[in-house]
Amino acid sequence: MQAIEARAVRKTYGPTTALAGVDLAIAPGEAVAIMGASGSGKTTLLHVLAGIVTPDAGAVHLATPAGVVDVARLSDGERTRLRRERFGFVFQEGMLVPELTAVENVALALMLVGSSRASAIQEAAMWLGSLGLAGMEDRRIGELSGGQAQRVAIARAQVTGASIVFADEPTGALDSVTSGEVMTALLGATVGRGRTLVLVTHDEQVAARCTRVVRMRDGLLVDAGASQAGPARPAAGMLPPPAPGTAVGAPSHGWAAQPQAAAYAQPVAHPQSAAYSQSAAYSPTSAHAPAPVAPTQQQWQGRA
Ligand SMILES: Nc1ncnc2c1ncn2[C@@H]1O[C@H](COP(=O)(O)OP(=O)(O)OP(=O)(O)O)[C@@H](O)[C@H]1O
């Protein structure tokens, strides 16, 4: 069974055909890089897969524990729920709340689904530590480097146990060394735990780290790529250490797991927090510029 699959997906914006009939099947545990020239439809495809944009025609089949659902046929409310429960998102700029500290940004995701502040902070700190950010928990986002901020975004995207992480140019604002480090963190946090990663990038080096590279042109998939035999593999010796008290090797969602993921498994996400509201991270009305995370400092204070 595929983790997610687009079938004959079409999307037009007025006279512009963004997607002209795209078929793309992504297996559980794959890291798929979507490449192509500017305007070829990469982000639109990512957003259609993630249920942010509704296609004009075609289907997006998603495997869930309850069976396969067609994301394109769900109501807005159902798609919002899907984003809360199944997906994580990482963007070029991270979309973090600048008024909050690193640990608060991650903890907020957990608090929005009911965790107490104390337990959310504790869990968020564990995830930050596993991504090499121990000691930086109390820094505000502006006090972090671009690469460190992206690690905070990666922690936030996975803290609630998403089975598919969508990343749009996650290294676009970073130098090549930092980009490589962030990719290591991103791969470790996703396919390293049996999750699926779908990533849009212009960077061939970033794409080469994935298990498959697909290429788009003029709204069409012109190269579906070949899946590598093994999983995407973070560079040796650069894996973040397992967090204390977490099992290593078991993916967060059995139905989304690939056996080979155990080869580079990471600490397991906490499934109880799978209801993180990704709706808070997105404005479903904009295909081009999803809104920053909606939670504000006020929301944080309101829950404190
Ligand atoms: N909300 C929208 N309104 C109008 N046109 C849009 C919208 N979203 C996308 N498009 C158009 O659809 C086409 C595909 O856009 P998309 O953003 O998917 O391309 P892309 O490959 O991700 O480009 P880039 O690499 O520059 O980000 C482009 O011609 C774009 O202008």
Side-chain angles (χ1 to χ4, degrees):
M1 189 197 300
Q2 304 296 342
I4 193 162
E5 182 173 8
R7 288 192 185 167
V9 165
R10 300 182 63 84
K11 179 70 185 176
T12 57
Y13 294 103
T16 304
T17 299
L19 299 176
V22 172
D23 295 290
L24 175 61
I26 298 173
E30 269 197 295
V32 174
I34 304 173
M35 299 198 77
S38 180
S40 58
K42 304 180 297 295
T43 294
T44 304
L45 177 59
L46 193 85
H47 287 182
V48 165
L49 289 170
I52 297 166
V53 167
T54 306
D56 301 328
V60 176
H61 291 161
L62 173 76
T64 77
V68 175
V69 298
D70 183 353
V71 177
R73 299 275 175 282
L74 298 178
S75 67
D76 284 352
E78 289 168 326
R79 282 190 288 131
T80 297
R81 185 160 168 256
L82 206 59
R83 291 197 297 271
R84 287 178 185 154
E85 297 181 353
R86 299 278 153 227
F87 299 154
F89 299 91
V90 179
F91 285 125
Q92 181 172 342
E93 299 299 341
M95 302 290 186
L96 299 163
V97 183
E99 295 88 353
L100 301 183
T101 64
V103 76
E104 287 171 346
N105 264 280
V106 180
L108 184 55
L110 291 164
M111 291 167 67
L112 284 171
V113 295
S115 292
S116 70
R117 176 178 172 141
S119 71
I121 291 280
Q122 192 178 22
E123 196 170 334
M126 180 196 80
W127 284 107
L128 290 175
S130 78
L131 286 162
L133 292 176
M136 300 185 192
E137 296 88 347
D138 296 328
R139 290 199 200 175
R140 293 189 195 283
I141 301 307
E143 297 168 341
L144 296 170
S145 70
Q148 289 162 347
Q150 279 304 67
R151 286 166 188 255
V152 175
I154 292 167
R156 190 193 56 190
Q158 64 167 324
V159 72
T160 54
S163 58
I164 302 181
V165 171
F166 296 96
D168 198 348
E169 294 283 3
T171 63
L174 306 175
D175 64 71
S176 64
V177 171
T178 310
S179 166
E181 292 168 358
V182 165
M183 275 306 291
T184 296
L186 183 58
L187 290 166
T190 53
V191 290
R193 296 190 175 97
R195 298 173 182 170
T196 305
L197 174 65
V198 187
L199 172 150
V200 165
T201 183
H202 284 104
D203 186 332
E204 291 282 356
Q205 283 188 317
V206 166
R209 301 280 303 273
C210 295
T211 56
R212 180 155 61 116
V213 181
V214 305
R215 294 179 196 275
M216 297 189 67
R217 189 167 60 224
D218 299 334
L220 287 168
L221 206 71
V222 292
D223 181 358
S227 221
Q228 290 174 17
R233 186 174 289 274
M238 295 188 69
L239 294 178
T246 56
V248 174
S252 58
H253 293 279
W255 57 271
Q258 284 286 68
Q260 71 268 30
Y264 56 116
Q266 295 295 293
V268 175
H270 293 255
Q272 81 277 11
S273 52
Y276 166 48
S277 172
Q278 282 296 349
S279 62
Y282 281 92
S283 160
T285 54
S286 167
H288 259 159
V293 173
T296 61
Q297 192 175 19
Q298 286 73 27
Q299 280 177 281
W300 170 264
Q301 287 165 343
R303 286 165 185 272

